[in-house]
Amino acid sequence: MRKITLALSAVCLLLGLNQTVFAKESVPAPLNPGVTVAQLAQQVPIHWVSVAQIENSLLGRAPIAVGFDIDDTVLFSSPGFYRGQKEFSPGKQDYLKNSAFWEKMNNGWDEFSMPKEVAKSLISMHLKRGDSIYFVTGRSQTKTETVTRTLQNDFLIPQAFVNPVIFAGDKEGQNTKTQWLKDKQIKIFYGDSDNDITAAQEVGARGIRVLRASNSSYQPLPKAGAFGEEVIVNSEY
């Protein structure tokens, strides 16, 4: 009887050890290792500004000419570009060289583009100051366009302040916006891309970065603040 009891105790001990080992092995690794308050507080040291701060910096200054890029700066226009890629060159960027795409984009597809809130605030502020507003885009020029009218309607620009959109186009190895900024004597230029900021800096204008939305079709996302420029807070939408 004693031998049987000892044998049963040994079996139970062995089963208990096996269950303990199995339990340890089956515990899943944490999905997230967590974060420290120091990591949460960490910020990239770039020059953040608000629309109110930009307005304040212009107090007492006479009206000036200001410029805006269009795509991802004043309009979230990815829906049109997404459709264009699917229709003209699925999975490739060739559609950007296709005049048929630009005819569609510049003549109606911006009806699917969403005006960005930051652009509403900026344009309203500059209109109130009496500044001249120009839209300078890297889009290809087409025989006709409705982009000017769309921007006028989206941003409530009075007819007296409307300037036709400038289609600078895209040429390899050349920043096509630079000469236009110089010709129009633009003092502040807002844009989401590196070319927008460098074009402004090349002509001695104040280049201010507007954040590109992370779900934009235009990837990869640029490094905001990379050229020492001001970057507008909460400007991704």
Side-chain angles (χ1 to χ4, degrees), residues 204-224:
R206 182 180 175 187
I208 301 180
R209 180 89 67 162
V210 172
L211 296 174
R212 184 183 302 168
S214 58
N215 62 334
S216 168
S217 60
Y218 190 8
Q219 298 288 332
L221 297 176
K223 302 281 189 179

Side-chain angles (χ1 to χ4, degrees), residues 65-194:
V66 299
F68 291 85
D69 167 57
I70 294 179
D71 300 308
D72 284 317
T73 297
V74 299
L75 295 179
F76 179 71
S77 49
S78 286
F81 284 84
Y82 176 75
R83 178 180 175 180
Q85 184 179 48
K86 289 184 67 176
E87 182 170 330
F88 295 103
S89 61
K92 299 179 181 179
Q93 299 297 312
D94 296 353
Y95 74 106
L96 295 173
K97 303 294 184 182
N98 190 327
S99 60
F101 162 69
W102 290 116
E103 287 290 342
K104 295 283 190 181
M105 194 68 209
N106 292 344
N107 290 277
W109 280 7
D110 273 315
E111 295 302 317
F112 301 99
S113 297
M114 295 178 62
K116 294 181 66 169
E117 292 301 316
V118 65
K120 290 180 181 180
S121 298
L122 287 168
I123 292 171
S124 175
M125 179 266 288
H126 283 294
L127 286 173
K128 185 173 65 175
R129 277 182 36 82
D131 296 328
S132 299
I133 296 175
Y134 295 92
F135 295 99
V136 185
T137 177
R139 295 186 186 189
S140 296
Q141 188 169 19
T142 48
K143 293 180 180 179
T144 59
E145 58 93 3
T146 59
V147 187
T148 300
R149 185 185 67 204
T150 297
L151 294 172
Q152 180 183 6
N153 293 337
D154 283 347
F155 298 107
L156 306 177
I157 303 173
Q159 185 62 39
F161 285 84
V162 174
N163 290 303
V165 168
I166 296 170
F167 293 88
D170 180 35
K171 295 181 181 179
E172 189 173 351
Q174 180 181 344
N175 194 331
T176 55
K177 296 181 180 180
T178 304
Q179 189 60 45
W180 284 108
L181 301 191
K182 184 178 180 180
D183 291 347
K184 299 300 181 182
Q185 299 181 1
I186 289 174
K187 303 303 181 185
I188 300 178
F189 189 63
Y190 299 94
D192 69 292
S193 73
D194 290 349

Side-chain angles (χ1 to χ4, degrees), residues 32-68:
N32 193 312
V35 64
T36 69
V37 68
Q39 290 172 316
L40 288 172
Q42 184 177 3
Q43 295 291 325
V44 178
I46 62 177
H47 189 174
W48 293 103
V49 293
S50 66
V51 175
Q53 286 174 315
I54 296 171
E55 182 176 18
N56 188 67
S57 72
L58 297 172
L59 288 176
R61 189 172 175 181
I64 58 175
V66 299
F68 291 85

